[in-house]
Amino acid sequence: MRTLRKDLLNMSQTDYANMVGVSRRTLSDIERNAGSPTLAVLNAVFRPLGLKAGLVPRSPAMMKKYW
């Protein structure tokens, strides 16, 4: 998240957090893989990047088997 926020949007943590409606601390926790954000918070944080949280198989073989 940090790399996307900085490299793609060139925004500070504070500015990005304000834009997506979360606290700077929550954004910091997400960027450090700490805390336990809700799915709604993750989707709010990823929305400006055109992304949303979801589940992805860990193995390429699993993807081929079911998709």
Side-chain angles (χ1 to χ4, degrees):
M1 179 68 230
R2 180 178 185 258
T3 301
L4 294 171
R5 172 183 55 79
K6 290 181 77 174
D7 293 351
L8 291 179
L9 301 176
N10 194 31
M11 293 182 80
S12 70
Q13 258 187 356
T14 301
D15 290 340
Y16 192 80
N18 288 334
M19 180 180 79
V20 299
V22 301
S23 70
R24 190 208 54 80
R25 173 70 184 259
T26 296
L27 181 59
S28 175
D29 286 348
I30 292 169
E31 290 183 353
R32 290 181 297 109
N33 199 29
S36 298
T38 65
L39 186 57
V41 167
L42 289 174
N43 282 329
V45 168
F46 291 131
R47 186 172 294 118
L49 300 165
L51 302 170
K52 70 178 186 177
L55 300 173
V56 178
R58 297 172 100 184
S59 158
M62 290 292 288
M63 288 190 74
K64 287 181 184 177
K65 183 176 179 180
Y66 295 104
W67 284 277

